[in-house]
Amino acid sequence: MGELGPDEGAENTYSLRPGLQHRFKSSTVKECIRAILKEKLANVQYIPEEMPELTKSLSETIKDRLKEEGFDRYKMVVQVVIGEQRGEGVNMAARCFWDADTDSCAHHVFMNDSLFCVVAAFGCFYY
Amino acid sequence: MDEFQTGEEASFLVDEVSSIIKEAIEGAIGGNAYQHSKVNQWTTSVVEQTLSQLTKLGKPFKYIVTCVIMQKNGAGLHTASSCFWDNSSDGTCTVRWENKTMYCIVSAFGLAI
């Protein structure tokens, strides 16, 4: 049949669902996010000039960390929102249209005196 | 042997999604001023309306829609997102909307099955 397939090593697993160990577990992911935020935002003040860089780098860091966790065949989206604490009202909501059996999300809110940070991570299984 | 090609229906069209989001925002919070008691209901309705319109498109996609509504009081807000996916088939669209009393930022992500 000729040469098919991207690599020689990748074999067809014929699996349509992730195994129990490989699911995008909310609790594991939330823990990762919490640890990263605690480390990166511990004493950070809200400085408008630095925030764009910080949000981008935070989302990249968290995404890379989740890749290392080894969620096979999962597509991931990480969204980071950082805002200044000035007593304003903020509300955030998310809805997803996916396969509830395989896909999941995790979120965490970090607050210190000058800023708040919300991270939402979503994982969708790629069939 | 039939050739199954990815037709136009199976791509994430940013303009189309952007207009769906704008309509949903206008419909839910169009002429309103920020009210703490209603904001929960507003974010929910923006997100649900957007999602239901997106699913009506009938494309083979999984969708994630998020919405942030923030009262205007001089504070700053930054959002960033990072995605691990297939660039050729998946896409995202973010719409920023504001009126005199609040900001609304809606992000929609579409991941091909």
Side-chain angles (χ1 to χ4, degrees):
Chain A
M1 228 196 177
E3 283 152 28
L4 288 173
D7 358 289
E8 286 173 5
E11 279 188 359
N12 212 328
T13 59
Y14 297 103
S15 73
L16 288 177
R17 289 268 179 276
L20 277 175
Q21 269 63 36
H22 300 297
R23 281 185 140 177
F24 192 82
K25 287 212 175 72
S26 241
S27 44
T28 322
V29 177
K30 189 175 164 100
E31 226 4 82
C32 275
I33 297 177
R34 186 206 305 261
I36 295 179
L37 288 185
K38 197 164 156 195
E39 181 200 325
K40 301 267 173 188
L41 295 180
N43 292 317
V44 176
Q45 296 297 307
Y46 185 90
I47 301 170
E49 292 80 30
E50 291 177 17
M51 286 302 118
E53 256 326 292
L54 180 62
T55 21
K56 279 186 224 160
S57 79
L58 209 52
S59 67
E60 289 287 322
T61 308
I62 295 177
K63 180 198 67 174
D64 292 333
R65 180 79 184 80
L66 291 181
K67 276 164 73 175
E68 282 168 28
E69 281 292 308
F71 295 112
D72 261 1
R73 290 176 68 176
Y74 268 95
K75 288 185 174 178
M76 293 183 274
V77 176
V78 174
Q79 187 173 32
V80 174
V81 179
I82 295 189
E84 192 183 356
Q85 284 241 47
R86 266 217 208 175
E88 76 275 17
V90 182
N91 195 289
M92 181 166 172
R95 283 285 183 281
C96 310
F97 179 69
W98 59 25
D99 181 346
D101 190 30
T102 55
D103 308 330
S104 169
C105 64
H107 71 274
H108 188 248
V109 182
F110 171 90
M111 293 205 280
N112 71 16
D113 288 328
S114 77
L115 56 78
F116 67 87
C117 175
V118 182
V119 176
F122 306 89
C124 294
F125 191 67
Y126 185 62
Y127 301 111
Chain B
M1 201 56 163
D2 286 332
E3 252 199 82
F4 293 104
Q5 286 186 342
T6 335
E8 274 166 31
E9 325 97 48
S11 62
F12 191 81
L13 296 170
V14 180
D15 296 325
E16 192 180 26
V17 175
S18 167
S19 59
I20 287 178
I21 297 178
K22 287 188 186 134
E23 265 176 47
I25 298 179
E26 284 295 329
I29 54 180
N32 300 338
Y34 182 88
Q35 276 171 272
H36 183 71
S37 52
K38 291 215 180 142
V39 69
N40 206 347
Q41 185 192 329
W42 286 340
T43 39
T44 311
S45 100
V46 169
V47 162
E48 282 177 0
Q49 175 68 7
T50 308
L51 194 59
S52 72
Q53 289 302 316
L54 284 174
T55 53
K56 281 188 191 156
L57 293 175
K59 296 187 179 186
F61 277 89
K62 289 184 178 179
Y63 294 104
I64 297 169
V65 182
T66 64
C67 168
V68 184
I69 294 188
M70 184 173 92
Q71 186 184 23
K72 274 193 181 181
N73 98 341
L77 186 78
H78 291 269
T79 63
S81 61
S82 199
C83 311
F84 178 61
W85 61 23
D86 182 351
N87 257 334
S88 55
S89 57
D90 307 330
T92 171
C93 174
T94 305
V95 171
R96 269 182 26 195
W97 181 96
E98 64 179 282
N99 69 8
K100 288 210 186 97
T101 50
M102 57 185 172
Y103 294 108
C104 177
I105 301 170
V106 179
S107 298
F109 302 90
L111 290 85
I113 299 181

